[in-house]
Amino acid sequence: MCGIGGVLMNHQEGSPDAIVHQVQAMLSAMRHRGPDGQAEYSAENIAMGANRLAIRGVDRVQPPLFVHASGVVVICNGEIDNHRTLRASLAVHGHTIESGSDIAVIAPLYLEKGLSFLEHLDGVFALALWDPRQRRLILARDRTGERHLYYATSTQGLWFASELAALQIAAPADTEVDRQSLAYYLRSGYCPSPRTPFVRRFKVCPGEMIVQERNKTRYMRYWTSPIGRKPTALPSASTFDAVFRNAIVRQTDVDVDYGVLLSGGLDSSLITAVARQVRPAHRLKAYCIRFEESSFDEASGAQTVAGRYDCPLATVTLGAAQVPQMLRHLIRTTGEPLADPAWLPLFLVTERASCDVKMLLAGEGADELFGGYPTYLGALWSSQYGRLPATVRKTIRSLVTALPVSDKKMALSFLLKKFVDGQEHDGLTRHLLWNANLSPDWIRRLGMDHPLDQIDHSELSLLDLVQNHDFGQSLPDALMAKADRGGMCHGVEIRAPFLDRTVIEYASTLPADARIKRLRTKAFLKDYARRYLPAEIIERRKRGLSVPLGPWLRGPLRCWAMDKLSSKALSDAGIQVDAALALMEEHIQRRNDHARGLWNLIVLSEWLEWTAEMRNNTLSTYDLLLQPALLCASSF
């Protein structure tokens, strides 16, 4: 893991030294991502650089920036898990790779395979490759979007960086908010790739390669999700066991201490159990978040698993008083709003883990691949509900609507209300509404147009369709963004064994009834887990990492929330503050549970305040690039 950044100018504007200063400014802003070294490369009108977080080859000082004898330059944020296999196959073709770094295989692979080189890489990565012979710059993101890469373009050139805040430091000064992206954010709490909340700022999509060559740009997908597109096969726990164990072996082939984020739920517990077995000599450490609110506290289940597998367990407790300053820090460090409240406890627990380890294993991806979300039950059962007589459905809606608001985690009343509210819609539209933080009506009341999705009702079944949506959007741009930004603030890499390519390909062969069986989610994975875990862990009700926002917003965070909701920053962005305060009032009066929608607006308010600060700051480094006299007088 690390932070990467670069600049490619279309014309000779400014000196090469000035372009290098831009890259150095971006790396300085991302020093938390890579405290173990820094390197830059420059030639003519291009400069690239990388910070290093040493996970493999810790005895070497070389940051993940490699200049091949051919002139090809590579910088990479991530890990190449199959580097040993690639190294051997490339040697057969005459490529001598002196460095032991896993990243060192990328340039020779490109020289051997051309633009198809990414198809042969297994691992997680965001990379940039410069080929001076073709004057070709390649930007790419791994298949599942575990690593992120932002870029900006103008008539002058192209800028890229691992974090949006760093990109804003170097790219042409621009803090104009994209209202369409804002609509997506208000609904879902994140901006789906390639969108960001700024105009003229973008994210490389998962599985995408962008080729900039002689002032022309090509956007190419080198991988698409296989969910629903592979022939189904009879599930085999023995076959999957070999796949999953090998995935964890590959992902723990590192030279540093590592641990596991342990909640006591199925996914993290299974990773813990398998990791202990495949590397028994490694002293696996476990880390867990706690809350004083009992229905949100995960310590009991985590302690059971940690004790069973002899893992030292460290816990941290998040309280409401920590939230305002923590959110402010996260926004200003990373630069993009993310309305997943679990960002906060993840930030806290990785801070504690950073005292012991540089890498953590986590359970992200299991739900999307194996059918773990309650909304997937809704996707299967909604058609049966729709066939009930209208009078029966009307009675059910009245009963569900009358259920009292609960402050408990994953309250049944909350889930039932979501279910009946979406019944007038079909397919993926209904799934999007179930997962929305704000309803279309509230988004309109707040002064925004509801986002219009390009719904692809393809040949896929509804279950495959909604799983693919979550796998391609909310997983990379919300859950993995949370993992990347929360962990890398403290120089901790978070890895997801369930997102190993072999695991993805196996899960894609599971028939629907191996994912959802009647009212049982993740049926196959739960049956497989019996090899390692007791029934009370396997069948434990799905909880997820949640934060008690509902009661906090009515209690200790009420005044702070009201201040954020009535801020001038929200009003200037076109948000109707009166509607935001009305939403808060409904929540306070317990007429509805609006915690998720309110958190969207609070995070947005904090982010808009940061953008205003950026706007009022001094000249960006891009402005300085065009004014060498000022640049010489500036320090970075």
Side-chain angles (χ1 to χ4, degrees):
M1 281 290 286
C2 62
I4 63 173
V7 181
L8 174 64
M9 302 301 291
N10 293 334
H11 309 289
Q12 291 293 342
E13 297 189 44
S15 68
D17 286 346
I19 301 175
V20 171
H21 277 298
Q22 283 192 298
V23 172
Q24 290 173 338
M26 288 192 280
L27 296 182
S28 179
M30 297 186 291
R31 191 155 292 151
H32 51 277
R33 299 186 66 90
D36 299 326
Q38 177 176 319
E40 302 95 36
Y41 163 88
S42 65
E44 297 180 14
N45 57 339
I46 187 170
M48 308 196 305
N51 295 325
R52 184 192 189 201
L53 176 67
I55 299 294
R56 290 175 174 142
V58 295
D59 57 328
R60 296 183 294 271
V61 297
Q62 173 68 51
L65 186 154
F66 290 90
V67 183
H68 191 266
S70 64
V72 171
V73 186
V74 173
I75 53 176
C76 180
N77 164 26
E79 308 286 337
I80 307 303
D81 292 336
N82 63 333
H83 69 103
R84 299 185 194 278
T85 303
L86 290 173
R87 189 180 300 272
S89 64
L90 288 167
V92 172
H93 290 88
H95 295 277
T96 301
I97 304 172
E98 295 182 357
S99 171
S101 169
D102 55 308
I103 305 302
V105 303
I106 296 176
L109 186 66
Y110 164 77
L111 293 170
E112 189 66 32
K113 302 293 184 181
L115 291 180
S116 66
F117 76 107
L118 292 165
E119 299 169 16
H120 302 272
L121 293 177
D122 287 341
V124 294
F125 53 83
L127 63 82
L129 183 150
W130 169 246
D131 184 348
R133 305 165 309 166
Q134 307 290 331
R135 300 200 60 76
R136 173 189 289 166
L137 176 66
I138 297 173
L139 304 179
R141 187 175 175 190
D142 63 68
R143 293 171 179 80
T144 55
E146 292 190 59
R147 303 295 173 254
H148 296 71
L149 191 58
Y150 297 84
Y151 65 97
T153 59
S154 76
T155 56
Q156 287 77 31
L158 181 148
W159 294 255
F160 62 89
S162 295
E163 290 180 346
L164 188 56
L167 184 69
Q168 287 296 96
I169 287 173
D174 194 340
T175 56
E176 182 182 349
V177 175
D178 185 332
R179 284 184 62 84
Q180 284 187 314
S181 294
L182 207 58
Y184 282 98
Y185 167 81
L186 285 176
R187 181 184 69 186
S188 303
Y190 66 93
C191 295
S193 297
R195 295 180 176 276
T196 77
F198 289 124
V199 298
R200 292 177 288 278
R201 303 288 188 268
F202 307 97
K203 287 181 279 196
V204 180
C205 295
E208 182 180 45
M209 173 173 61
I210 300 175
V211 182
Q212 177 88 359
E213 192 171 11
R214 304 184 191 281
N215 297 333
K216 294 182 180 179
T217 306
R218 286 180 285 168
Y219 300 86
M220 306 165 66
R221 295 303 294 263
Y222 68 89
W223 187 85
T224 55
S225 165
I227 298 172
R229 297 183 173 91
K230 296 187 73 171
T232 58
L234 186 66
S236 166
S238 296
T239 301
F240 180 69
D241 192 43
V243 169
F244 193 55
R245 289 171 73 93
N246 287 335
I248 291 183
V249 167
R250 278 191 297 275
Q251 297 205 8
T252 56
D253 177 21
V254 297
D255 300 327
V256 296
D257 286 337
Y258 59 88
V260 60
L261 289 172
L262 181 60
S263 68
L266 171 64
D267 307 330
S268 63
S269 299
L270 187 55
I271 288 173
T272 302
V274 176
R276 286 293 286 131
Q277 286 205 11
V278 299
R279 296 196 185 275
H282 178 80
R283 183 70 162 164
L284 190 68
K285 301 173 183 177
Y287 301 88
C288 176
I289 192 71
R290 300 203 66 173
F291 297 96
E292 293 180 358
E293 292 79 1
S294 60
S295 74
F296 290 80
D297 191 54
E298 299 180 331
S300 176
Q303 286 167 349
T304 299
V305 176
R308 182 183 182 91
Y309 289 99
D310 191 25
C311 298
L313 178 66
T315 64
V316 293
T317 301
L318 177 66
Q322 299 164 279
V323 169
Q325 188 58 37
M326 197 177 293
L327 177 62
R328 178 181 175 85
H329 175 77
L330 283 167
I331 291 292
R332 281 155 180 76
T333 301
T334 62
E336 187 178 12
L338 178 62
D340 185 343
W343 197 12
L344 303 177
L346 184 67
F347 174 86
L348 190 64
V349 77
T350 54
E351 181 180 40
R352 168 62 186 86
S354 68
C355 299
D356 309 320
V357 300
K358 282 191 172 183
M359 190 184 85
L360 291 168
L361 301 175
E364 270 77 9
D367 289 316
E368 291 80 1
L369 287 170
F370 293 92
Y373 291 124
T375 50
Y376 298 162
L377 286 171
L380 288 180
W381 287 96
S382 56
S383 58
Q384 284 85 344
Y385 178 86
R387 285 195 287 269
L388 293 174
T391 53
V392 175
R393 284 184 277 121
K394 183 177 180 180
T395 300
I396 293 174
R397 172 179 282 275
S398 298
L399 292 171
V400 169
T401 302
L403 290 173
V405 172
S406 172
D407 286 336
K408 291 185 177 180
K409 183 175 182 177
M410 293 294 291
L412 181 61
S413 60
F414 178 82
L415 296 174
L416 289 173
K417 288 177 182 180
K418 282 283 187 179
F419 180 81
V420 299
D421 284 346
Q423 286 306 314
E424 61 190 74
H425 301 279
D426 293 327
L428 185 56
T429 301
R430 182 170 56 226
H431 179 72
L432 294 174
L433 288 172
W434 282 341
N435 285 296
N437 292 353
L438 284 165
S439 68
D441 180 57
W442 272 109
I443 290 174
R444 285 188 286 269
R445 287 180 64 179
L446 289 163
M448 302 294 294
D449 294 328
H450 190 262
L452 297 176
D453 297 278
Q454 299 296 322
I455 304 297
D456 178 22
H457 291 289
S458 61
E459 73 283 359
L460 298 178
S461 70
L462 180 56
L463 181 59
D464 291 334
L465 193 65
V466 298
Q467 283 186 251
N468 262 306
H469 174 273
D470 292 349
F471 188 82
Q473 290 200 12
S474 59
L475 175 65
D477 291 328
L479 294 179
M480 298 317 302
K482 170 189 69 182
D484 179 81
R485 297 174 205 166
M488 289 307 292
C489 278
H490 307 296
V492 174
E493 175 181 342
I494 296 178
R495 303 213 64 187
F498 283 109
L499 295 180
D500 186 274
R501 178 159 62 160
T502 60
V503 177
I504 295 170
E505 290 173 349
Y506 185 88
S508 300
T509 68
L510 293 175
D513 64 358
R515 290 170 271 166
I516 306 290
K517 194 165 187 177
R518 298 185 182 89
L519 293 176
R520 191 174 185 236
T521 57
K522 281 197 285 202
F524 168 75
L525 194 64
K526 289 175 179 176
D527 290 342
Y528 161 71
R530 291 175 184 168
R531 292 172 171 239
Y532 298 98
L533 300 171
E536 60 266 25
I537 293 295
I538 295 171
E539 301 298 340
R540 185 180 180 218
R541 183 185 173 193
K542 180 171 179 57
R543 295 159 62 91
L545 178 55
S546 301
V547 176
L549 272 180
W552 284 0
L553 291 173
R554 295 189 192 96
L557 293 180
R558 178 174 174 176
C559 292
W560 172 73
M562 295 288 283
D563 180 62
K564 292 297 177 185
L565 294 172
S566 57
S567 74
K568 184 177 183 296
L570 275 182
S571 180
D572 289 346
I575 300 295
Q576 298 297 314
V577 171
D578 288 347
L581 293 174
L583 190 75
M584 181 69 171
E585 184 62 23
E586 275 199 10
H587 183 78
I588 292 171
Q589 298 298 327
R590 292 181 175 270
R591 295 200 297 273
N592 214 326
D593 180 1
H594 290 309
R596 290 169 59 187
L598 289 168
W599 187 245
N600 270 25
L601 292 166
I602 290 167
V603 174
L604 178 62
S605 178
E606 188 70 57
W607 180 80
L608 289 167
E609 290 174 17
W610 170 73
T611 64
E613 293 170 10
M614 292 282 291
R615 191 182 305 118
N616 295 331
N617 279 344
T618 55
L619 291 171
S620 72
T621 57
Y622 172 77
D623 298 316
L624 295 172
L625 172 82
L626 301 180
Q627 301 182 49
L630 285 175
L631 179 63
C632 293
S634 300
S635 61
F636 293 87

